Structure formats: structure tokens, C-alpha cells
Amino acid sequence: MPDEVFSDFPDDGGADDFVREYPLAIAPAQTEHLSLRMPVFLLQVPGDPDGPDAVSVHQARVKRVVMALRESHEGQGEKLVPYALVHPTSDDDLVGEAAARDLAFGVPPRMTPDRFRDAALMQDLVTAVKAQAGAPGDGAAGGSAPADGPPQVTAATAADSPGNLRDYAYQGRVARGGIAKTLWSLGGKGAPDGAGLGGWLLRTFWLSLLHTLPRWWWARRVTRRLIRRPRQRAQGRRGWLGRELNVTGGREDLFQVMADVATRQTSRLGLPAGHRQREEGTAVLEQLLTLALLADLAQPLVGSLLPKRRRRTARPVLLLQVPHPEEPGARTVERFLRVYVQAQAQAPAPGPLVIAVGSFSTALLDELGPEPMGFTQASKVLRQGGEKPVLVTFHAEPFGRPGLPIRKPTARRFRRGWRSQTVLATSLPVLLIAALIVEFPLRADGSDTSCVAGGSTPPGRALHGEVHPVEWYRSAQRAVEAENRRAEALAARGRPVRTIVYFTSEGPQTNAGTLFDGIVPELRGIALWQRRLNSEAFSDDSRVPLRVEVRSTGRGFARAPQEAQRLADEVRSGSRTGAREISGVLGFAQSRDSTRKALRILAQARIPAVGTTATADEMQVGDYYWPTTPVNSTEARVVASLARNKRLVARSNGAGCSAAQHAIVVQSSADLYSRSIAVQFMSNFTSNAGTDVPNGTAELVNFSQEGDFGTGDPGVARYARPRDLADRVCESLDAESRTVVYWAGRTRDFAAFVDALDARDACGREAVTVLAGNELTNVAQTGEFEGRGWLRLYYAAHRLPDADTRISRQTDRFVNAYNTFVAGERGEDPWHDDGQAAVAYDALHVLSQAVDLARADNSVGMSAVTTALRSGVAFDGATGWVEYASGSNAPPKDKTLVVLRLTPKGPRTAVVCGAYVKGGRYAAQGTPCSP
């Protein structure tokens, strides 16, 4: 009885694993996965041998599986990834030919690097060989040149000689367009014999230049590529065709070699259908086509400016719809599979993902020797790659009920098409000259006055629309809670699951609150790593899924010590067991006296803690705290060196920039972070030992709108009103124009100061330069400084903006995941380039890796996690390379630190230090990074 008609993937045992991994194998987040070789997947569909509709039932089932896979590759009338669907209907069809043609058709724009040069050439040569043999379907009866090509040599006569074969193949090259077609068109149709001196000159010079010479040069190039591969691209001296046909050397060219192939195979291809020798001849042609296709799909050569040299972002897919064994075409697919498995072993990785769906003969299975497995095992092969063919057999029952949808792969596309990139590449000299004029203006005396990260201060504008902080915060909370339920479900299945406690400040209560507290992006980063971890742990038993308990410590972390003590008491009581057992603590995003006290309490209870964006050196209390970011002493040294050694203070009348000579340092003396980084900056700014730059001068002032100055130095001026501080800054600028404001306070006070300075018309100056620490990362991009074109704001952060070409693949992967996470949120996200989400993501990654290492020692208790952290943790993270030294709880070695300049178009990189990719070192990166 025929199955009910469904269009989704049959829900067989473990099919949900296969369906989940399938789009990730095609368009993985980590493009390194594309370098893995994929085996051939044979999806065997059962028939209905006892029923009267055996053939139709089999065809319907095969079609359902193939269409479910195919539909996931298409969207809105275009291919989402390069794929080909081949359904042969004749035993003389060549799958390699159809596959190359389908892969090259409808190429997804701004994605694929594959050009199919060898495949197209080999199709023309095989067409000529088949035409000479009179094989069916080849146009042998008076065959003609490819469409739009010069009608000189027909397919039926092309293989008569190497010269004719070359001319016919070049006709195909001309028909495919490009410079070959342009040159041929300029030559016209030639001059008839007997046209006098003009005709002789035309034939001898003009046509030689536009027809004969390009054809000779093209033939020489393709011979070198296929027969004698160029030295710079090859490990050996022969190309793939030279190796396949065992061409040992000499002056034999491609067309001589293929003419010999035609001579040997013509008589075979002329035999009756089904004859063994005819089948062997067809297999030879299939092998040539398949090797050509694999050569085109080898790892692409990537060139930065060459428009058609791009890295691959999606794996090509070849779907084979295998006809019923009693139908024509079944033998064609099996012939291709034999050829492909043999050719794949010789070809460079990675090649396409080949999936054949249908019934396979015993002879084929015996020859290929596939590894039988279920869908769950097959999903692991999709993730890890493999060499041996895989055989997965469907049961009949799932075809009678609804199945599973397959998510569409989301392959990254390039910002520009190759034609646009060509225009940019050809206009590069002009652009460079323009950039030199704009970015490196010279004074009358010839000295350079260019500004770091740009000199202009155009009118500012809002970088976001409406904000919904409370809604966003709750959305991030729900994401964490959903992952907690997912982890608990795994725990119910017997998996070890542990809990991380995340200490945070009070969540935003008003729209203004989102400007001064980074809790929303930080919680999003935690949710993103938890989601990734739990997804990987679902199929990887070596990973430990994690729950995250979010605990508020009040506004400004005021209750941090009490909450830390409560957790310590819970741990000592032994009440936390199973999935609720604590493995560590995350958070404390701000350096305050309260958070430092909380860390001491946790250290006394021997609870390991990993910090997020708390950067004060004074936070490193005890041996149980690991910060994720560089400390204030590092940040202050880099920023002070930038101010003293680089041009960032705007001169009057737009005459470029100069280095800072004087700094007015604004601190809140009651705040641990503020007084820590202020002292560090002043020390570094006023001392330039070992350099030719004279020491700078600095003055320290206290500012607190609450009037809380703690036990600060009574000799330091104190200001509680923003306008009074603005007056003091203007006085300093009047006394020394090369003055920079270093802001060591909190974001709320800074916003008030900027408002006051704006009310004073920016001290009557075109630009006021402000340097700030990482505290301002969560407000800089929110549009709070709309319309303040006079503000030249430089601030420290911990991740490169995604527009910077130096970002690592892991940073790019995080950015994509973050953008997907916020895509469904109401309003426009203001933290697209903020570093706090990435820091939190990496911080939880640190704890997660330590828990996994502890699991490897058959223990996931806190002591084992602490031991793992002390042994050293290293990985490529969203903020760059993260590497903790063994036996130390200092910040990661050479951790990424960037200084960004805020512009109306988003942050622009002024300085980048450290290991934003593995191997980066402060000491080797010069001023201002090197000590």
C-alpha cells in the first residue's frame, strides 16, 4: 500500500541528531570544519517487494528523502548553498558532468569561491570523445560548437586530431565568456581567402594577435595545470590528469593526451548498450569528469585582493536520487559511486558532501565496503568527518507518518560581489593616495600631524533606536532558564551536570539604567556560551552541561559580601547535590570594595571564581580568583603611552592632532576601580623613562554627584556639581591646549559631565579629547552622546569591532551568534560592538573548560575545578586568545586590550594590543603596547 505523502525527513531512530548536524556540516560556524573530508553517505530506502506498486513506492520514498534535503538548501527562489541534485534516467548518463553543471548553475551570490574551470574543460573534451564514438545523446550527428562560440570545429570531428580537439575546447572557453570571448569578438569572423593585401594582413597579424596567440597561450596554461602542474601550486611535478593517465613527462600536451584517450575508448563506446567493454569506457570518462570536479572543489587559493580567490564558507553538496534497480539510471549512479570513492582517495580534501538515496546492489556494497550505522552515529561523522563510506538504512514505518523539518544552513556571504571587489582592487592606487591626503596631512614645515583613528569630529548622531532594557534583561534571563532546563533534562538521563553561580548587580529598572550598567550584554554572553556548551554536550559525553544561577547583589553590588557568605554557607552545608552542586562562581563585573570583600569570603570557602570585567589590580585577593581581562595597571600603561606618544588631541582650525602634554584626571575616590586606575594612569603619564618623549604633567580631581569622596586625599579638589567640573576642565584647556581629560569615574557621572561641558559649548573649542577606561564600554555605543560632535572619546575595551579586518574566526563566530540572538528583540541593540558580552562568554568558557578537565579526572567537585584552573587553561575565544599560565591566577597572558574611538558610524580601532589571535605579544607590538 503506498505511503501517505509527506515532504519532510522521515523520523527514523536518531534522525533528529542527523537533521541537527546536517546544516552545520554544510555551513559550520567554524570554517575550519570545511577542511574535513566527508565520506560518501548511502541512505538506503526500503521498498515494498511484495506489493504491486513496488517501484512507485520505492520512488516516492526516495523522492521524499531527497526533496527534504534539497528544500533545506533553497530559500526565496535561490540557492542558499552550492548544491547539485542528479537524477539520471539513462545508463549512459555521466553523473560527474551533470553534477558540475548543476553546481555551477545558480551559484549563491557573494559566497562560493569555486570556478569549475577543469570541469567545464573536461566536459567539452568528453563531449568530443563521445561524439566521435557516436554514443547516444552526444549530438554526434553533425555536432556543433558550444553555444555562442566560433563555429569552426564540430564535436563529431573534434577528436580526429589534437589540433581539432584543442580548437573545439577553445570554442567552449570562448562561449563561457570573459577575456577569451572579448578577444575573439574583436577579431571578428576573419578574412576570406583571396581578399588581397588587406586580407593577408588581417589573417597574419590581427587574427594572430586576437585568435591564434590567445588560443596558444590558453592551451599552454591548461596543459601546465592539468598535466604539468605549476611548481608554486604543487607538491609533485604532475597535475591531476597527468597522474591519472601516468604521463611521465616530455612535451606531450593536454590535447595530445586526450586524443589518445579518444583513440582507445572510441571503439568501446560504440559497442551495444550493456556490453562490459562499453561500461568500462564510460567509467573512464566518468572518472575524468569526477577528478576534474574534485580538482575544482579542492581547498581554494585565497588572495586578499584577487576578486575570485575567496575562502569557502559552505560545503558543496551533491545529492544523488538513485532510480529503482529495475529502472534505467540505477547503474549510472552505482558507476559514479565506484569512481568517486576511488577518485576521492587521490584528490585533495575536502571535496563535496555526497549523499546517495535509494537502494544499492549487493555488488556495490561489497566493493565499497561501507560502514553500517544508525543516524546517531552518522551525525557524529557529519561533525567529525571520515574516509570510509557510510551506510544508513531507513525502516519502512517512518515513511507512513510525518517526519522532521531540516533547518536551512546559514552560510556567511561576503559583503561585496567579486565584480565590486574587482573595481575596488583596480582603483586601489587612487584610494591609497586619497587616504594619504586625508589621514596624513602635513604642516607647513613638513611634519606629520595625522590623528589616531581619524581627525574629523563630524556631528554626532544616535546609534540606536528605542531601548527596552527591562525587556531585554528578562529575555536574556529566559534564555538562561531555558538552558538550565535543558541541562536538567540531561541530568535526568544520567549525565553529570553542575551549577555555576553568577553574581550580578541589580537588573535595569528604567531605560536610563541600561546606559550605566552592562548587565544586559553580560547576561547575553553567558546565555550564548551556555547554549553552545549544552548543544555540544548533548552528543559529546566529555562535556559537562552547566546550569547558571543568576543572583542579584543589589545596586552597585552593595550586597555582594552577604550573597557570597550565603553561598559559602550553602556549600559547607552539603545541601547542593546532583545538578545543583556548585562548581564555581562567575561575575563581579565591577571593582568595588564590596566585590573585593565578597571574593575574600569565597576564597576562604575555597570556591573558585572567574571574573568578567572587574579590572582593578586590588581585586586579586587570595588564590581562588581568576580575572578574564587585563588589570588596571596594564590598561593604564597602554592608554597613557598612547596619549603621550601618539597624536590624538585635535589642534585648532582642523590642523591635525598632537600628542597630549597635560592630563586632567577625574576620579571618584570612594570607588575602588576609580582610584586604582586613576593613580596608575597618572604614574605612567608623568613618567616616560627610556623614551625620547618628555614627561607629561597631570592634575587629579575628585568628582562625585553624591558627594561621597571616602577617605580621599584632602589636598585634591572635590566637585559634586558637573558644571563646576566642566569649568575646571575649561581652565586647564585654556592654560594648555594639548590637554586630555582622563575619565576614571563611572558612566553615570560621565554622562552628566558631558552634558555640562556641552552646555559650555565645549569650552569654545572645536574638539575636546577624552580618554577613558573600560567602564565606558557599555555606554559609548548607546547614542547617549548624540549631537556632541566636539567630543573626541577614546575608551578601552576587550574585543575588536567586527568591522576590523583583524578579528579572529572565533570573534566572528561570536558576533554572528550574538546578532542572531538579538535579531528577534524589540528595538535596535546598542551593544553590537561592545566587549562585555564577549568577555562574559569567554569567562564562562574558562569555567566550563575547567569543569570538563575535572570531569576527565572522574571528579567535578570544586577542588578538582580549582586544580584544573591552576594547571592552565587555553582556548581561542570571542575576545581573542585566552591562556592562563600554569600555577598562576594572574590575568591571561597577553590578553587582548583595544582602545577604540567613538565615531558616529560606530567604534574605530585606535590601538590593539595582545593576542587577538594566538601568538600576539605586547612586548613585540611596539608603542603603546610594549612595556
Side-chain angles (χ1 to χ4, degrees):
M1 179 179 178
D3 300 320
E4 187 176 348
V5 177
F6 297 105
S7 59
D8 43 19
F9 196 84
D11 188 10
D12 210 336
D16 54 334
D17 295 329
F18 187 85
V19 164
R20 184 186 67 252
E21 292 293 340
Y22 182 69
L24 298 177
I26 299 171
Q30 291 178 301
T31 53
E32 294 90 343
H33 185 82
L34 295 175
S35 63
L36 297 177
R37 187 190 296 271
M38 284 290 171
V40 173
F41 285 82
L42 306 177
L43 305 187
Q44 185 148 269
V45 174
D48 186 12
D50 299 328
D53 302 320
V55 175
S56 60
V57 168
H58 177 271
Q59 291 174 336
R61 290 176 174 176
V62 170
K63 185 175 182 181
R64 174 179 174 180
V65 176
V66 170
M67 291 301 106
L69 296 171
R70 177 186 180 179
E71 287 175 8
S72 69
H73 303 157
E74 295 190 341
Q76 298 181 351
E78 68 172 6
K79 290 182 177 181
L80 300 177
V81 294
Y83 83 92
L85 171 59
V86 180
H87 182 204
T89 57
S90 166
D91 287 336
D92 289 310
D93 288 346
L94 294 171
V95 173
E97 184 175 26
R101 189 183 303 117
D102 205 4
L103 280 171
F105 176 77
V107 174
R110 296 178 289 110
M111 182 197 307
T112 178
D114 302 313
R115 297 169 60 185
F116 303 101
R117 300 178 301 172
D118 291 358
L121 171 60
M122 193 53 59
Q123 286 177 38
D124 291 338
L125 297 175
V126 167
T127 297
V129 173
K130 292 177 66 179
Q132 188 180 46
D138 52 25
S144 59
D148 300 325
Q152 294 183 333
V153 182
T154 65
T157 62
D160 288 345
S161 68
N164 282 349
L165 196 59
R166 178 205 60 191
D167 293 348
Y168 179 78
Y170 189 64
Q171 290 169 197
R173 175 64 189 90
V174 169
R176 289 189 287 276
I179 190 171
K181 184 174 183 178
T182 301
L183 293 175
W184 194 278
S185 299
L186 288 174
K189 297 182 179 180
D193 293 336
L197 178 62
W200 179 81
L201 291 173
L202 181 63
R203 289 191 300 273
T204 304
F205 296 102
W206 185 246
L207 294 184
S208 295
L209 180 65
L210 298 178
H211 287 189
T212 307
L213 182 61
R215 182 174 55 200
W216 171 82
W217 180 249
W218 171 82
R220 185 173 182 270
R221 288 183 60 217
V222 295
T223 293
R224 293 185 66 209
R225 188 171 73 242
L226 273 65
I227 303 296
R228 299 182 295 275
R229 201 170 187 180
R231 294 178 183 176
Q232 65 269 27
R233 294 185 57 197
Q235 295 178 351
R237 294 183 59 86
R238 291 184 291 174
W240 65 263
L241 185 60
R243 292 193 302 271
E244 173 64 19
L245 300 180
N246 198 28
V247 178
T248 56
R251 302 184 60 83
E252 230 174 3
D253 70 0
L254 167 68
F255 305 101
Q256 178 64 58
V257 170
M258 287 303 297
D260 292 343
V261 171
T263 301
R264 293 194 301 271
Q265 304 304 329
T266 295
S267 59
R268 289 181 167 186
L269 296 173
L271 293 171
H275 196 285
R276 182 174 60 85
Q277 295 299 104
R278 179 186 176 108
E279 181 67 19
E280 289 182 3
T282 306
V284 169
L285 301 185
E286 185 75 87
Q287 181 135 359
L288 294 176
L289 290 166
T290 302
L291 287 169
L293 178 62
L294 288 175
D296 286 332
L297 295 180
Q299 197 72 23
L301 290 174
V302 178
S304 57
L305 292 179
L306 297 177
K308 287 190 177 181
R309 286 191 177 184
R310 290 175 159 177
R311 65 185 181 275
R312 180 177 286 115
T313 60
R315 190 187 308 278
V317 181
L318 176 55
L319 301 177
L320 301 177
Q321 185 172 338
V322 184
H324 188 273
E326 298 178 5
E327 295 291 311
R331 190 166 60 190
T332 297
V333 175
E334 296 204 348
R335 179 200 311 126
F336 170 78
L337 291 173
R338 291 186 180 93
V339 166
Y340 179 83
V341 171
Q342 180 182 355
Q344 187 187 35
Q346 307 171 23
L353 171 59
V354 177
I355 299 181
V357 184
S359 294
F360 309 98
S361 68
T362 303
L364 176 71
L365 297 180
D366 289 343
E367 184 173 342
L368 299 185
E371 183 178 355
M373 59 179 63
F375 279 109
T376 298
Q377 291 174 289
S379 67
K380 293 182 180 180
V381 176
L382 280 175
R383 184 169 62 254
Q384 300 169 0
E387 300 283 344
K388 193 174 183 180
V390 170
L391 175 65
V392 185
T393 303
F394 283 96
H395 295 91
E397 184 271 334
F399 287 92
R401 53 184 170 84
L404 303 169
I406 303 177
R407 180 174 60 83
K408 297 182 184 298
T410 53
R412 179 182 176 184
R413 300 193 181 190
F414 295 93
R415 291 186 176 91
R416 293 180 297 271
W418 69 267
R419 291 181 177 85
S420 300
Q421 191 172 343
T422 301
V423 173
L424 291 176
T426 54
S427 60
L428 184 61
V430 177
L431 294 176
L432 288 176
I433 293 173
L436 289 172
I437 294 173
V438 173
E439 293 295 329
F440 298 98
L442 297 179
R443 293 194 334 209
D445 59 2
S447 60
D448 188 1
T449 63
S450 59
C451 302
V452 175
S456 61
T457 54
R461 61 181 177 85
L463 300 179
H464 66 86
E466 54 181 339
V467 296
H468 305 278
V470 178
E471 179 181 321
W472 294 340
Y473 176 67
R474 290 174 180 168
S475 177
Q477 273 188 319
R478 288 193 296 270
V480 171
E481 290 165 358
E483 291 305 315
N484 287 346
R485 291 191 295 271
R486 192 176 176 189
E488 289 161 1
L490 289 173
R493 293 167 52 180
R495 290 287 298 278
V497 174
R498 290 297 179 267
T499 294
I500 300 298
V501 175
Y502 167 52
F503 284 119
T504 182
S505 63
E506 184 180 42
Q509 304 298 314
T510 64
N511 283 359
T514 194
L515 303 179
F516 313 125
D517 194 327
I519 184 174
V520 174
E522 189 165 278
L523 192 58
R524 284 173 171 173
I526 289 170
L528 285 173
W529 176 257
Q530 191 185 12
R531 175 181 296 176
R532 176 178 169 183
L533 168 67
N534 290 344
S535 295
E536 293 177 355
F538 185 82
S539 55
D540 187 345
D541 292 341
S542 67
R543 308 301 302 275
V544 179
L546 294 178
R547 297 175 67 256
V548 175
E549 286 187 13
V550 180
R551 296 194 181 185
S552 173
T553 61
R555 183 178 180 182
F557 293 89
R559 299 196 315 273
Q562 294 90 326
E563 291 296 327
Q565 187 61 56
R566 183 164 71 91
L567 177 64
D569 293 341
E570 292 177 13
V571 170
R572 290 191 185 101
S573 70
S575 60
R576 305 291 297 245
T577 59
R580 291 170 51 81
E581 181 179 340
I582 305 296
S583 284
V585 164
L586 184 71
F588 299 122
Q590 295 179 3
S591 303
R592 295 183 180 271
D593 291 320
S594 59
T595 53
R596 180 171 59 171
K597 184 176 180 180
L599 288 176
R600 285 198 178 101
I601 294 171
L602 295 176
Q604 290 171 0
R606 297 184 178 181
I607 300 175
V610 174
T612 52
T613 53
T615 57
D617 298 63
E618 293 83 353
M619 290 291 286
Q620 292 185 271
V621 292
D623 298 328
Y624 289 84
Y625 174 66
W626 284 263
T628 306
T629 52
V631 289
N632 283 352
S633 55
T634 300
E635 181 180 310
R637 175 181 58 77
V638 170
V639 175
S641 179
L642 169 69
R644 292 294 294 118
N645 294 278
K646 303 296 181 180
R647 293 173 294 273
L648 46 74
V649 180
R651 295 173 177 270
S652 60
N653 302 320
C657 290
S658 61
Q661 177 60 36
H662 182 70
I664 181 166
V665 181
V666 182
Q667 73 165 6
S668 297
S669 54
D671 187 305
L672 173 64
Y673 160 78
S674 182
R675 64 177 184 265
S676 167
I677 201 166
V679 170
Q680 294 282 354
F681 178 83
M682 288 190 65
S683 174
N684 284 279
F685 187 83
T686 57
S687 174
N688 282 278
T691 71
D692 296 331
V693 179
N695 293 342
T697 59
E699 59 180 308
L700 180 67
V701 298
N702 276 320
F703 178 61
S704 170
Q705 294 186 84
E706 290 80 16
D708 181 9
F709 300 103
T711 58
D713 187 346
V716 177
R718 298 181 176 183
Y719 301 96
R721 297 191 304 179
R723 65 174 180 268
D724 294 339
L725 177 62
D727 291 342
R728 182 70 189 89
V729 168
C730 290
E731 291 175 8
S732 294
L733 285 168
D734 290 339
E736 171 56 75
S737 62
R738 294 170 296 175
T739 293
V740 63
V741 178
Y742 183 77
W743 192 267
R746 296 291 179 180
T747 55
R748 177 175 174 272
D749 289 342
F750 182 71
F753 164 70
V754 171
D755 288 339
L757 207 57
D758 195 51
R760 283 211 48 170
D761 192 27
C763 306
R765 297 179 176 273
E766 295 179 3
V768 176
T769 303
V770 179
L771 291 174
N774 68 89
E775 170 68 12
L776 295 192
T777 59
N778 53 21
V779 70
Q781 300 172 55
T782 58
E784 175 69 5
F785 309 125
E786 174 184 0
R788 318 297 169 80
W790 52 266
L791 177 62
R792 289 181 57 83
L793 174 61
Y794 295 83
Y795 61 96
H798 302 106
R799 173 176 78 76
L800 278 167
D802 66 340
D804 196 303
T805 58
R806 291 168 289 187
I807 64 170
S808 67
R809 291 176 178 174
Q810 286 298 330
T811 301
D812 187 57
R813 175 179 181 175
F814 169 79
V815 170
N816 291 333
Y818 182 87
N819 291 342
T820 301
F821 184 87
V822 303
E825 301 284 5
R826 190 161 61 100
E828 184 178 347
D829 176 68
W831 298 294
H832 172 76
D833 277 316
D834 179 61
Q836 283 194 261
V839 169
Y841 182 89
D842 283 349
L844 186 54
H845 189 171
V846 171
L847 267 174
S848 169
Q849 185 165 324
V851 173
D852 289 343
L853 291 172
R855 168 83 164 84
D857 292 333
N858 297 318
S859 173
V860 280
M862 285 191 301
S863 60
V865 173
T866 301
T867 300
L869 287 168
R870 289 174 178 166
S871 298
V873 170
F875 57 84
D876 192 5
T879 57
W881 184 253
V882 179
E883 182 177 0
Y884 290 89
S886 177
S888 169
N889 66 332
K893 294 189 297 183
D894 294 289
K895 186 67 178 62
T896 303
L897 177 69
V898 300
V899 178
L900 305 176
R901 182 191 167 210
L902 182 66
T903 74
K905 295 183 179 180
R908 183 174 177 182
T909 305
V911 173
V912 54
C913 301
Y916 51 91
V917 293
K918 185 178 181 180
R921 295 289 180 263
Y922 280 75
Q925 292 170 337
T927 305
C929 301
S930 58

